[in-house]
């Protein structure tokens, strides 16, 4: 029987035929695809013709198509539906793939051809897009260690293979901790919990085959539990499990993995001539160097900490009225913050949540994309990799633009968090193709027959990830390697964070925030309260994030710590971290940083992008409003369509005329008077 991963896909829009692919197809398909890729590389090297752009740079970009067709569906499943067999395959594939690509990047004959084309770049008459492609390919080979020889080249390959193994182990350990821990609730424990949370806990119990409701470590369950449960001892138990993920001890403990990862990254950077890993990593980002990152984070840290400490005093006084002796603890903060929000803003999360129906928020995101960019979305009756996944065709003026997959509900086989990925990215070369984009979230799934409801924070997450999706959908570049979100790490969050602003546009909420039972729009008084409370508890939110970003930077800007947990404690003490606020991601659960190199030395990028997104949305406000057509056209033309085909700073300056300062961010977060 033909392996469906290797045969042509006779599917609509050339989507992976998930219903025909079994887990046992992946390993043999990968072996064939690796062999095919090696043959393509060998053919490029063996050419008698002198190296030029087409026979070397373009040929490299065209190689590996079979490998892409095997790995794109596999990695979509590995994150969103990770069965034990798929996890086993991922552990098997990671070092194999790392070795494969390390050998290609270290191939001296291949690098000689790339270098030869680079050296005569001024004579080739390349246009801007091809010149950019040549620059990035050459830089990529140099940064991968192609210029290394002998023992140094061998060591670089070994480091990459080991990092791949460690990253996979870190991710799978975290997923196992999150999947294995749960807390059963007796009927009496449901007291004080809103109906939506009780429904979600019962649904989680059903999924786990338990007789009653349970709280899991899914953010969509544990955060509202910490907000609403009056049972302090249960909040403490749940909170301690939540902040201890990856550090429970035993086989899934990530602390030793983090230490080894940091040591290997430092060694890798020094092999390439950099003082430390942060300098290596930031060399290609907008920030450029660690000092610029640290300056931004500290500019935000001090006002955020002042606000958080003032809030901590208020919440501690509230807790004292309930008989809590001593300072407020981490498991108390969200509970008393929710009480305070209700008192000060007359805003009750339980009363608010019925107005944020999942389907309505999806429709809101689609409607904003239509009004801004003319995109239209039609749901298709198609199977995907899981029954919960919804498939949409995206068109503009009747022309196909993209396929969008929405995978919204939490499940035990899905890693935590939310993300956007592309099963296929837009390109003209090496082959013309339209994107297939996936948004993955972890919203609580309701019992059958009930409407899925979101918190305001959930709705913001949906808009955030859809902003990434728009970056992919609207990409209009020649080369796949610079398509969509293939941009500097500290620029990639600009479209996603910018799109969050449309959730706060009053006319959007008036149209789509309708009550799940009555169908009535959100009352204006409640709408005003929602928008008025947008910056509520912002000290907490900013401190937990900036602390994580600073820890990430300190881990990589200098010698790798032998004991990351001790170094984490040392940095937090020096910062004066408020005692009741944990890092958003403590080291053993910091998947952004330790599951791969993506956000390592780069977790700051959310805030770097926020400096721009606050300023970018101001461009709409200064013009004709949130849906100003000229500003929307400029946003698409200068940022969303360009991917990484132009340097990020230049793209932003084309859109806004200048680079922004931190003032708009502080004002937007309510951290300045």
């Amino acid at each position: 029987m033909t392996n469906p991963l290797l045969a042509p896909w006779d599917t609509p829009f050339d989507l992976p035929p998930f219903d025909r692919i079994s887990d046992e197809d992946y390993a043999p398909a990968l072996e064939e695809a690796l062999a095919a890729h090696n043959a393509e590389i060998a053919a490029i090297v063996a050419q008698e013709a002198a190296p030029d752009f087409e026979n070397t740079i373009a040929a490299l970009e065209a190689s590996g198509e079979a490998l892409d067709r095997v790995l794109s569906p596999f990695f979509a499943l590995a994150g969103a539906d990770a069965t034990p067999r798929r996890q086993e395959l991922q552990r098997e594939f990671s070092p194999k793939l790392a070795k494969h690509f390390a050998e290609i990047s270290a191939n001296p004959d291949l690098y000689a051809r790339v270098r030869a084309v680079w050296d005569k770049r001024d004579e080739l008459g390349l246009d801007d897009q091809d010149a950019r492609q040549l620059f990035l390919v050459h830089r990529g080979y140099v940064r991968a260690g192609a210029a290394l020889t002998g023992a140094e080249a061998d060591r670089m390959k070994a480091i990459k293979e080991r990092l791949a193994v460690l990253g996979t182990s870190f991710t799978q350990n975290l997923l196992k901790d999150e999947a294995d821990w749960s807390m059963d609730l007796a009927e009496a424990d449901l007291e004080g919990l809103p109906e939506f949370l009780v429904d979600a806990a019962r649904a989680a119990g059903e999924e786990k085959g338990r007789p009653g409701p349970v709280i899991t470590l899914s953010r969509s369950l544990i955060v509202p539990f910490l907000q609403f449960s009056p049972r302090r001892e249960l909040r403490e138990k749940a909170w301690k499990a939540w902040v201890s993920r990856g550090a429970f001890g035993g086989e899934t403990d990530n602390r030793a993995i983090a230490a080894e990862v940091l040591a290997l990254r430092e060694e890798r950077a020094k092999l390439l001539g950099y003082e430390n890993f942060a300098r290596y990593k930031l060399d290609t980002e907008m920030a450029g160097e660690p000092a610029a990152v640290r300056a931004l984070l500290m500019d935000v840290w001090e006002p955020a900490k002042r606000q958080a400490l003032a809030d901590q005093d208020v919440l501690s006084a509230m807790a004292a009225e309930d008989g809590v002796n001593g300072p407020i603890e981490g498991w108390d903060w969200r509970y008393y913050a929710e009480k305070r929000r209700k008192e000060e803003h007359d805003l009750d999360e339980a009363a608010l949540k019925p107005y944020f129906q999942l389907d309505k928020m999806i429709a809101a995101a689609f409607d904003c994309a239509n009004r801004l960019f003319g995109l239209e979305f039609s749901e298709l009756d198609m199977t995907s990799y899981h029954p919960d996944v919804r498939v949409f065709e995206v068109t503009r003026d009747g022309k196909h633009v993209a396929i969008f997959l929405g995978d919204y509900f939490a499940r035990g086989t899905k890693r935590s968090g939310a993300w956007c990925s592309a099963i296929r990215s837009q390109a003209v070369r090496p082959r013309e193709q339209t994107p297939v984009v996936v948004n993955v979230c972890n919203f609580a799934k309701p019992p059958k027959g009930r409407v899925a409801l979101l918190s305001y924070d959930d709705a913001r997450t949906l808009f955030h990830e859809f902003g990434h999706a728009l970056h992919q959908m609207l990409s209009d570049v020649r080369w796949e390697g610079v398509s969509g979100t293939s941009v500097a790490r500290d620029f990639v969050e600009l479209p996603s964070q910018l799109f969050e602003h449309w959730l706060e546009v009053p006319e959007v909420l008036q149209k789509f925030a309708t009550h799940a039972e009555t169908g009535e729009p959100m009352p204006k008084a409640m709408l005003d309260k929602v928008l008025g409370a947008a910056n509520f508890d912002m000290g907490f939110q900013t401190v937990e994030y900036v602390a994580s970003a600073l820890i990430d930077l300190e881990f990589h800007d200098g010698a790798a710590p032998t004991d990351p947990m001790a170094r984490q404690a040392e940095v937090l003490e020096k910062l004066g971290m408020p005692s009741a606020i944990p890092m958003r991601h403590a080291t053993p659960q910091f998947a952004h940083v330790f599951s791969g190199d993506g956000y390592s030395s780069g977790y700051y990028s959310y805030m770097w992008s926020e400096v721009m997104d606050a300023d970018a949305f101001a461009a709409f406000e200064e013009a004709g409003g949130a849906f100003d057509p000229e500003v929307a056209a400029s946003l698409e033309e200068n940022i969303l369509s360009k991917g990484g085909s132009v340097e990020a700073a230049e793209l932003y300056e084309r859109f806004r005329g200048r680079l922004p300062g931190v003032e708009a961010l502080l004002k937007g977060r309510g951290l300045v008077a």
Side-chain angles (χ1 to χ4, degrees):
M1 185 175 178
T2 304
N3 190 318
L5 288 161
L6 300 172
W9 295 347
D10 55 342
T11 56
F13 309 106
D14 200 31
L15 293 174
F18 287 108
D19 58 336
R20 302 202 303 267
I21 301 170
S22 78
D23 287 345
E24 302 314 309
D25 291 324
Y26 285 109
L30 180 65
E31 292 303 319
E32 286 199 36
L34 289 172
H37 195 203
N38 282 330
E40 290 165 343
I41 297 299
I44 294 171
V45 171
Q47 294 176 98
E48 293 184 3
D52 62 27
F53 184 85
E54 286 298 325
N55 69 22
T56 300
I57 306 304
L60 273 172
E61 185 73 358
S63 69
E65 180 182 7
L67 194 54
D68 288 342
R69 288 169 71 84
V70 173
L71 295 179
S72 61
F74 176 75
F75 282 113
L77 289 169
D81 197 19
T83 62
R85 176 56 179 151
R86 289 167 193 162
Q87 290 183 308
E88 181 184 356
L89 288 169
Q90 192 175 9
R91 290 191 295 271
E92 177 187 326
F93 291 175
S94 292
K96 189 174 293 187
L97 290 168
K99 180 179 181 181
H100 173 76
F101 288 109
E103 288 177 348
I104 290 174
S105 63
N107 184 319
D109 296 327
L110 179 61
Y111 175 61
R113 291 187 69 90
V114 172
R115 178 63 186 268
V117 181
W118 173 250
D119 286 344
K120 59 182 181 182
R121 59 193 179 279
D122 294 336
E123 307 164 18
L124 300 177
L126 301 177
D127 67 12
D128 289 347
Q129 290 211 41
D130 287 352
R132 175 72 171 170
Q133 181 70 10
L134 172 58
F135 166 76
L136 292 173
V137 169
H138 176 259
R139 185 180 73 178
Y141 273 82
V142 172
R143 285 175 61 80
L148 299 177
T149 58
E152 289 185 337
D154 292 340
R155 180 57 184 158
M156 179 64 80
K157 283 189 279 188
I159 288 172
K160 289 179 180 179
E161 290 176 42
R162 181 60 180 162
L163 284 171
V165 171
L166 293 172
T168 298
S169 297
F170 190 99
T171 302
Q172 294 189 354
N173 288 346
L174 187 56
L175 177 62
K176 191 169 192 312
D177 277 1
E178 291 171 347
D180 286 356
W181 188 93
S182 62
M183 181 173 68
D184 291 287
L185 298 180
E187 289 300 313
D189 299 331
L190 302 178
E191 180 187 353
L193 303 186
E195 184 180 8
F196 76 82
L197 180 54
V198 174
D199 286 345
R202 292 194 191 281
E206 288 176 12
E207 185 192 7
K208 289 187 170 292
R210 306 283 258 281
V214 302
I215 296 299
T216 70
L217 295 181
S218 169
R219 180 176 286 272
S220 61
L221 268 179
I222 196 164
V223 169
F225 183 77
L226 292 171
Q227 283 178 297
F228 291 107
S229 176
R231 297 284 300 277
R232 191 173 190 238
E233 73 282 5
L234 295 182
R235 295 201 312 268
E236 179 180 1
K237 181 179 178 182
W239 185 87
K240 286 183 173 178
W242 172 246
V243 300
S244 299
R245 292 166 296 147
F248 287 144
E251 294 181 354
T252 63
D253 199 295
N254 277 333
R255 286 171 287 193
I257 290 177
E260 187 177 355
V261 165
L262 293 171
L264 290 173
R265 284 178 180 161
E266 181 187 15
E267 185 180 359
R268 176 182 172 188
K270 288 185 172 178
L271 282 172
L272 295 171
Y274 289 89
E275 181 182 345
N276 55 54
F277 186 80
R279 292 193 174 276
Y280 160 76
K281 187 66 183 294
L282 295 174
D283 192 33
T284 59
E285 307 297 337
M286 287 184 74
E289 60 180 10
V293 175
R294 189 174 287 104
L296 168 68
L297 294 174
M298 292 309 297
D299 280 348
V300 178
W301 173 260
E302 290 302 332
K305 186 174 76 168
R306 281 196 299 272
Q307 183 62 58
L309 289 172
D311 291 340
Q312 182 171 287
D313 289 342
V314 174
L315 300 183
S316 293
M318 294 174 68
E321 292 177 3
D322 284 350
V324 175
N325 297 317
I328 191 173
E329 300 286 356
W331 51 89
D332 297 317
W333 189 293
R334 285 183 170 89
Y335 179 71
Y336 287 102
E338 180 62 27
K339 279 190 166 188
R340 183 186 182 192
R341 183 170 76 149
K342 191 172 181 180
E343 289 177 6
E344 294 185 1
H345 296 275
D346 192 21
L347 198 58
D348 182 352
E349 176 76 17
L352 181 65
K353 196 157 187 174
Y355 289 96
F356 288 96
Q357 302 173 59
L358 172 59
D359 283 353
K360 290 287 189 179
M361 290 300 102
I362 295 170
F366 288 175
D367 185 68
C368 290
N370 176 260
R371 295 180 64 183
L372 289 165
F373 310 115
L375 299 179
E376 297 180 327
F377 299 80
S378 303
E379 188 159 9
L380 305 176
D381 184 14
M382 294 178 60
T383 58
S384 188
Y385 59 82
H386 189 277
D388 284 345
V389 179
R390 300 170 64 178
V391 184
F392 301 87
E393 182 184 10
V394 188
T395 59
R396 180 156 58 181
D397 299 326
K399 182 181 178 182
H400 176 80
V401 172
I403 291 294
F404 174 67
L405 307 181
D407 183 359
Y408 296 109
F409 294 125
R411 52 182 172 267
T413 56
K414 183 189 287 187
R415 65 179 170 90
S416 63
W419 64 94
C420 176
S421 60
I423 291 178
R424 183 175 68 233
S425 295
Q426 177 272 331
V428 176
R429 297 193 63 187
R431 59 200 67 85
E432 191 162 0
Q433 59 193 35
T434 54
V436 177
V437 190
V438 190
N439 272 180
V440 183
C441 299
N442 268 283
F443 305 140
K445 189 173 184 178
K448 289 181 181 179
R450 301 297 292 270
V451 173
L453 301 177
L454 306 181
S455 67
Y456 190 64
D457 187 56
D458 288 338
R460 187 183 298 278
T461 296
L462 187 149
F463 268 66
H464 178 100
E465 298 307 332
F466 193 71
H468 282 308
L470 287 172
H471 203 180
Q472 294 279 12
M473 294 173 194
L474 294 171
S475 179
D476 185 15
V477 298
R478 183 176 301 157
W479 297 99
E480 186 176 0
V482 294
S483 179
T485 57
S486 297
V487 299
R489 181 61 62 178
D490 49 10
F491 193 65
V492 75
E493 298 297 336
L494 169 60
S496 56
Q497 293 179 185
L498 175 58
F499 198 67
E500 291 180 32
H501 286 273
W502 274 270
L503 180 61
E504 298 176 352
V505 174
E507 63 187 277
V508 174
L509 289 175
Q510 286 165 358
K511 182 176 180 180
F512 293 99
T514 59
H515 198 279
E517 295 179 5
T518 68
E520 292 296 315
M522 182 183 290
K524 186 178 186 306
M526 180 179 283
L527 175 62
D528 291 343
K529 291 170 187 174
V530 169
L531 298 177
N535 286 324
F536 179 74
D537 212 24
M538 192 55 74
F540 174 95
Q541 295 176 44
T542 307
V543 162
E544 64 165 1
Y545 164 78
V546 175
S548 292
L550 284 166
I551 291 292
D552 169 40
L553 183 65
E554 295 302 328
F555 276 168
H556 295 99
D557 186 25
T562 55
D563 185 346
M565 299 304 293
R567 179 62 176 148
Q568 172 183 295
E570 176 187 328
V571 172
L572 293 179
E573 182 178 5
K574 185 177 179 181
L575 287 170
M577 183 76 169
S579 60
I581 303 180
M583 293 167 58
R584 183 170 299 180
H585 305 288
T587 297
Q589 65 218 217
F590 210 163
H592 280 79
V593 170
F594 292 106
S595 289
D597 278 356
Y599 281 89
S600 54
S601 295
Y603 193 62
Y604 76 92
S605 60
Y606 290 93
M607 188 143 283
W608 190 274
S609 292
E610 189 177 342
V611 171
M612 290 181 285
D613 84 63
D615 180 67
F617 191 70
F620 284 90
E621 295 176 319
E622 292 162 10
F627 295 97
D628 183 84
E630 292 185 6
V631 180
S634 177
L635 178 65
E636 179 178 353
E637 168 61 25
N638 293 307
I639 293 179
L640 297 177
S641 69
K642 290 295 189 288
S645 63
V646 180
E647 288 291 340
E650 182 179 341
L651 289 179
Y652 193 83
E653 288 184 5
R654 288 182 189 179
F655 171 65
R656 200 66 170 107
R658 52 164 174 71
L659 292 175
V662 74
E663 296 78 14
L665 179 149
L666 293 173
K667 182 180 178 182
R669 285 184 169 241
L671 297 175
V672 292

